[in-house]
PDB file of all heavy atoms in Angstrom:
ATOM      1  N   PRO A 165     -13.942  -5.165  60.812  1.00 95.00           N
ATOM      2  CA  PRO A 165     -13.082  -5.568  61.926  1.00 95.00           C
ATOM      3  C   PRO A 165     -13.838  -5.570  63.258  1.00 95.00           C
ATOM      4  O   PRO A 165     -14.893  -4.938  63.366  1.00 95.00           O
ATOM      5  CB  PRO A 165     -11.991  -4.487  61.963  1.00 95.00           C
ATOM      6  CG  PRO A 165     -12.162  -3.664  60.746  1.00 95.00           C
ATOM      7  CD  PRO A 165     -13.530  -3.896  60.212  1.00 95.00           C
ATOM      8  N   GLU A 166     -13.330  -6.254  64.213  1.00 96.00           N
ATOM      9  CA  GLU A 166     -13.831  -6.241  65.592  1.00 96.00           C
ATOM     10  C   GLU A 166     -15.233  -6.816  65.748  1.00 96.00           C
ATOM     11  O   GLU A 166     -15.969  -6.464  66.657  1.00 96.00           O
ATOM     12  CB  GLU A 166     -13.770  -4.822  66.187  1.00 96.00           C
ATOM     13  CG  GLU A 166     -12.344  -4.271  66.200  1.00 96.00           C
ATOM     14  CD  GLU A 166     -12.211  -2.937  66.914  1.00 96.00           C
ATOM     15  OE1 GLU A 166     -13.108  -2.087  66.767  1.00 96.00           O
ATOM     16  OE2 GLU A 166     -11.200  -2.752  67.608  1.00 96.00           O
ATOM     17  N   GLN A 167     -15.637  -7.655  64.792  1.00 97.00           N
ATOM     18  CA  GLN A 167     -16.878  -8.421  64.974  1.00 97.00           C
ATOM     19  C   GLN A 167     -16.607  -9.812  64.434  1.00 97.00           C
ATOM     20  O   GLN A 167     -15.659 -10.041  63.677  1.00 97.00           O
ATOM     21  CB  GLN A 167     -18.081  -7.724  64.346  1.00 97.00           C
ATOM     22  CG  GLN A 167     -17.976  -7.457  62.861  1.00 97.00           C
ATOM     23  CD  GLN A 167     -18.333  -8.649  62.014  1.00 97.00           C
ATOM     24  OE1 GLN A 167     -19.286  -9.346  62.309  1.00 97.00           O
ATOM     25  NE2 GLN A 167     -17.561  -8.889  60.965  1.00 97.00           N
ATOM     26  N   ASP A 168     -17.484 -10.758  64.832  1.00 98.00           N
ATOM     27  CA  ASP A 168     -17.104 -12.159  64.639  1.00 98.00           C
ATOM     28  C   ASP A 168     -17.821 -12.883  63.502  1.00 98.00           C
ATOM     29  O   ASP A 168     -17.784 -14.115  63.418  1.00 98.00           O
ATOM     30  CB  ASP A 168     -17.290 -12.911  65.959  1.00 98.00           C
ATOM     31  CG  ASP A 168     -18.757 -12.939  66.398  1.00 98.00           C
ATOM     32  OD1 ASP A 168     -19.640 -12.522  65.605  1.00 98.00           O
ATOM     33  OD2 ASP A 168     -19.022 -13.377  67.536  1.00 98.00           O
ATOM     34  N   GLY A 169     -18.486 -12.124  62.615  1.00 98.00           N
ATOM     35  CA  GLY A 169     -19.075 -12.757  61.433  1.00 98.00           C
ATOM     36  C   GLY A 169     -20.442 -13.398  61.661  1.00 98.00           C
ATOM     37  O   GLY A 169     -20.992 -14.015  60.763  1.00 98.00           O
ATOM     38  N   THR A 170     -21.013 -13.216  62.866  1.00 98.00           N
ATOM     39  CA  THR A 170     -22.309 -13.844  63.159  1.00 98.00           C
ATOM     40  C   THR A 170     -23.473 -12.858  63.041  1.00 98.00           C
ATOM     41  O   THR A 170     -24.630 -13.225  63.288  1.00 98.00           O
ATOM     42  CB  THR A 170     -22.331 -14.389  64.607  1.00 98.00           C
ATOM     43  OG1 THR A 170     -22.147 -13.288  65.522  1.00 98.00           O
ATOM     44  CG2 THR A 170     -21.223 -15.412  64.825  1.00 98.00           C
ATOM     45  N   VAL A 171     -23.173 -11.611  62.667  1.00 98.00           N
ATOM     46  CA  VAL A 171     -24.133 -10.520  62.841  1.00 98.00           C
ATOM     47  C   VAL A 171     -24.693 -10.020  61.514  1.00 98.00           C
ATOM     48  O   VAL A 171     -23.955  -9.878  60.535  1.00 98.00           O
ATOM     49  CB  VAL A 171     -23.433  -9.343  63.568  1.00 98.00           C
ATOM     50  CG1 VAL A 171     -24.427  -8.240  63.882  1.00 98.00           C
ATOM     51  CG2 VAL A 171     -22.739  -9.824  64.830  1.00 98.00           C
ATOM     52  N   GLU A 172     -26.000  -9.751  61.520  1.00 98.00           N
ATOM     53  CA  GLU A 172     -26.652  -9.149  60.352  1.00 98.00           C
ATOM     54  C   GLU A 172     -26.580  -7.623  60.491  1.00 98.00           C
ATOM     55  O   GLU A 172     -26.654  -7.082  61.595  1.00 98.00           O
ATOM     56  CB  GLU A 172     -28.108  -9.650  60.274  1.00 98.00           C
ATOM     57  CG  GLU A 172     -28.891  -9.155  59.052  1.00 98.00           C
ATOM     58  CD  GLU A 172     -29.425  -7.736  59.200  1.00 98.00           C
ATOM     59  OE1 GLU A 172     -29.677  -7.320  60.346  1.00 98.00           O
ATOM     60  OE2 GLU A 172     -29.573  -7.055  58.174  1.00 98.00           O
ATOM     61  N   TRP A 173     -26.513  -6.930  59.336  1.00 98.00           N
ATOM     62  CA  TRP A 173     -26.236  -5.486  59.341  1.00 98.00           C
ATOM     63  C   TRP A 173     -27.268  -4.625  60.075  1.00 98.00           C
ATOM     64  O   TRP A 173     -26.899  -3.686  60.787  1.00 98.00           O
ATOM     65  CB  TRP A 173     -26.084  -4.973  57.901  1.00 98.00           C
ATOM     66  CG  TRP A 173     -24.644  -4.794  57.521  1.00 98.00           C
ATOM     67  CD1 TRP A 173     -23.900  -5.565  56.676  1.00 98.00           C
ATOM     68  CD2 TRP A 173     -23.750  -3.760  58.000  1.00 98.00           C
ATOM     69  NE1 TRP A 173     -22.603  -5.078  56.608  1.00 98.00           N
ATOM     70  CE2 TRP A 173     -22.490  -3.975  57.397  1.00 98.00           C
ATOM     71  CE3 TRP A 173     -23.894  -2.683  58.877  1.00 98.00           C
ATOM     72  CZ2 TRP A 173     -21.387  -3.151  57.642  1.00 98.00           C
ATOM     73  CZ3 TRP A 173     -22.794  -1.869  59.129  1.00 98.00           C
ATOM     74  CH2 TRP A 173     -21.565  -2.098  58.514  1.00 98.00           C
ATOM     75  N   ASN A 174     -28.564  -4.855  59.889  1.00 98.00           N
ATOM     76  CA  ASN A 174     -29.553  -3.984  60.541  1.00 98.00           C
ATOM     77  C   ASN A 174     -29.453  -4.080  62.062  1.00 98.00           C
ATOM     78  O   ASN A 174     -29.669  -3.091  62.773  1.00 98.00           O
ATOM     79  CB  ASN A 174     -30.972  -4.337  60.091  1.00 98.00           C
ATOM     80  CG  ASN A 174     -31.225  -3.934  58.657  1.00 98.00           C
ATOM     81  OD1 ASN A 174     -30.556  -3.057  58.112  1.00 98.00           O
ATOM     82  ND2 ASN A 174     -32.196  -4.593  58.019  1.00 98.00           N
ATOM     83  N   ALA A 175     -29.116  -5.268  62.551  1.00 98.00           N
ATOM     84  CA  ALA A 175     -28.937  -5.447  63.993  1.00 98.00           C
ATOM     85  C   ALA A 175     -27.618  -4.821  64.455  1.00 98.00           C
ATOM     86  O   ALA A 175     -27.540  -4.235  65.536  1.00 98.00           O
ATOM     87  CB  ALA A 175     -28.976  -6.932  64.346  1.00 98.00           C
ATOM     88  N   TYR A 176     -26.605  -4.940  63.593  1.00 98.00           N
ATOM     89  CA  TYR A 176     -25.266  -4.418  63.917  1.00 98.00           C
ATOM     90  C   TYR A 176     -25.260  -2.892  63.999  1.00 98.00           C
ATOM     91  O   TYR A 176     -24.527  -2.309  64.793  1.00 98.00           O
ATOM     92  CB  TYR A 176     -24.310  -4.897  62.819  1.00 98.00           C
ATOM     93  CG  TYR A 176     -22.853  -4.544  62.985  1.00 98.00           C
ATOM     94  CD1 TYR A 176     -22.094  -5.028  64.048  1.00 98.00           C
ATOM     95  CD2 TYR A 176     -22.212  -3.748  62.027  1.00 98.00           C
ATOM     96  CE1 TYR A 176     -20.738  -4.724  64.159  1.00 98.00           C
ATOM     97  CE2 TYR A 176     -20.855  -3.448  62.125  1.00 98.00           C
ATOM     98  CZ  TYR A 176     -20.132  -3.931  63.198  1.00 98.00           C
ATOM     99  OH  TYR A 176     -18.795  -3.641  63.300  1.00 98.00           O
ATOM    100  N   TRP A 177     -26.088  -2.250  63.189  1.00 98.00           N
ATOM    101  CA  TRP A 177     -26.136  -0.768  63.138  1.00 98.00           C
ATOM    102  C   TRP A 177     -26.476  -0.200  64.522  1.00 98.00           C
ATOM    103  O   TRP A 177     -25.954   0.818  64.920  1.00 98.00           O
ATOM    104  CB  TRP A 177     -27.186  -0.327  62.113  1.00 98.00           C
ATOM    105  CG  TRP A 177     -27.052   1.082  61.601  1.00 98.00           C
ATOM    106  CD1 TRP A 177     -26.183   1.508  60.633  1.00 98.00           C
ATOM    107  CD2 TRP A 177     -27.840   2.231  61.971  1.00 98.00           C
ATOM    108  NE1 TRP A 177     -26.390   2.848  60.395  1.00 98.00           N
ATOM    109  CE2 TRP A 177     -27.385   3.315  61.184  1.00 98.00           C
ATOM    110  CE3 TRP A 177     -28.890   2.441  62.874  1.00 98.00           C
ATOM    111  CZ2 TRP A 177     -27.944   4.598  61.284  1.00 98.00           C
ATOM    112  CZ3 TRP A 177     -29.437   3.720  62.969  1.00 98.00           C
ATOM    113  CH2 TRP A 177     -28.962   4.775  62.189  1.00 98.00           C
ATOM    114  N   ASP A 178     -27.365  -0.928  65.239  1.00 99.00           N
ATOM    115  CA  ASP A 178     -27.763  -0.477  66.577  1.00 99.00           C
ATOM    116  C   ASP A 178     -28.236  -1.680  67.417  1.00 99.00           C
ATOM    117  O   ASP A 178     -29.440  -1.912  67.559  1.00 99.00           O
ATOM    118  CB  ASP A 178     -28.878   0.567  66.461  1.00 99.00           C
ATOM    119  CG  ASP A 178     -29.220   1.194  67.810  1.00 99.00           C
ATOM    120  OD1 ASP A 178     -28.703   0.739  68.847  1.00 99.00           O
ATOM    121  OD2 ASP A 178     -30.030   2.155  67.824  1.00 99.00           O
TER     122      ASP A 178
END
Side-chain angles (χ1 to χ4, degrees):
E166 300 186 321
Q167 59 82 42
D168 64 9
T170 61
V171 185
E172 183 280 332
W173 259 107
N174 289 337
Y176 183 64
W177 200 80
D178 187 353

